[in-house]
Amino acid sequence: MLTANRNGLRVDAAISAKGCAYHCPSCGQPVTLRKGQIKIAHFAHKPPTDCSWAKGETAEHREAKVALRDAFRRMSYIADYEVEVLSIQGDRRADVLIRSHDGRRWALEIQHTPILYPAIEARTRAYIAAQVPVLWVGILSSDMKAGAKPTSDGVVIRKYTIRPWEKWAQALAFKELWYVDPSDGTLWRGEFSEHMIHVESTSWFESGGVEQSAGGYSRQSKRWRTLTLRGPYGVNQLAIGTKWRKAWSSPVFSLPQGLIASLTVV
C-alpha cells in the first residue's frame, strides 16, 4: 500500500523516511516502509498478517495508482490514492478518488486479482450508496502487451481468456472496459467480441468405399474471446463523467442500479 498512519496522520510512502513508526490505516498493525531505487515506495505488513489491505497488491497495481493520480492532478482535478469512502453498504478504500472543484467525485478501482461476482457487485453497491460513481479499470499487463497485435487505432488480442470480473465490469459499463498501462498511465478502451475457431475440412473413405467429410466451418470458442483495445489515450484526451445504469440480472450475475463513472474520448 502507498499510504500509512504516523502519529495518527495519513502519510505517503513517497515522501516518508525510513526509521519511523508506521501503522496500517485498516488494522492498525505496524507496517514497514520499503523504499529503493527501482520499485515505487510502499508500506508492507510485517508477517504474519490477515489484513485485507495486505493481500494481493502487485507492483503494477501500485504503479497504476500513482500514474492515474498524477495524470488527473495534471488536469487540475483533486486526486489521491487509497482514500476511504464511507458507505452505508460497507466502507470502501478507493484506489484513486477524483474530485472536481465543483464537488463532484468519482472512484477508480484498478482490478488486478481475481474477484467473484458477489464481491464486485457488493463493492459497486457500496460506492453507489455513497453517491460516488465508480469505474472498474483493468491493468494492461506486460503479458497482454506481448500477445497483442497492432491495428490502425490500437491493438487486438485474439486469444484472450476473459476473467469473471471482466465479464461483470464490461456488462456494467455497457460492453466497454478500460485498461491502464501502469508504465505511463495511458488508458485503453477495451471491447470484447467472440473468438471464432475454424475447423478444417477433412474427408475419408469408409471400408465400403463411401467418401465421408467433416469440418469446413467456424464456431465460437468457449475458452477465448477477442479483446480489441483502442488507444492509447492520455487523461487529457478524455472526459470523466457519469452514466445511469438500470438494474439487470442474468442466471449468472446481477448488476445494481445507480450512477456509474464513465470515460469519453474528447
Side-chain angles (χ1 to χ4, degrees), residues 137-179:
V137 180
I139 288 180
L140 184 60
S141 67
S142 55
D143 288 343
M144 291 172 67
K145 288 190 282 188
K149 303 298 182 183
T151 64
S152 60
D153 58 353
V155 297
V156 62
I157 305 173
R158 301 202 180 277
K159 287 186 176 181
Y160 186 83
T161 303
I162 187 171
R163 294 166 287 181
W165 82 264
E166 289 171 310
K167 290 182 181 179
W168 192 95
Q170 61 92 30
L172 180 77
F174 304 99
K175 306 300 182 182
E176 186 175 275
L177 184 59
W178 288 85
Y179 291 81

Side-chain angles (χ1 to χ4, degrees), residues 26 46 58 63 69 86 101 103 136 163 172 177 204 212 228 231 236 242 263 265:
S26 178
K46 298 178 180 180
T58 63
E63 290 168 359
R69 181 205 63 172
L86 303 180
H101 290 281
W136 291 90
R163 294 166 287 181
L172 180 77
L177 184 59
W204 67 94
Q212 300 288 342
T228 301
N236 63 314
T242 59
L263 291 173
V265 180

Side-chain angles (χ1 to χ4, degrees), residues 235-250:
V235 168
N236 63 314
Q237 297 173 280
L238 303 170
I240 188 166
T242 59
K243 290 183 179 179
W244 178 258
R245 153 57 68 187
K246 291 183 179 180
W248 179 86
S249 294
S250 76

Side-chain angles (χ1 to χ4, degrees), residues 2 14 18 34-42 58-60 62-64 66 182-183:
L2 300 172
K18 292 183 177 180
R34 294 180 177 176
K35 199 169 188 177
Q37 298 298 317
I38 300 175
K39 294 184 178 180
I40 287 179
H42 63 282
T58 63
E60 286 183 322
R62 291 190 290 269
E63 290 168 359
V66 173
S183 66

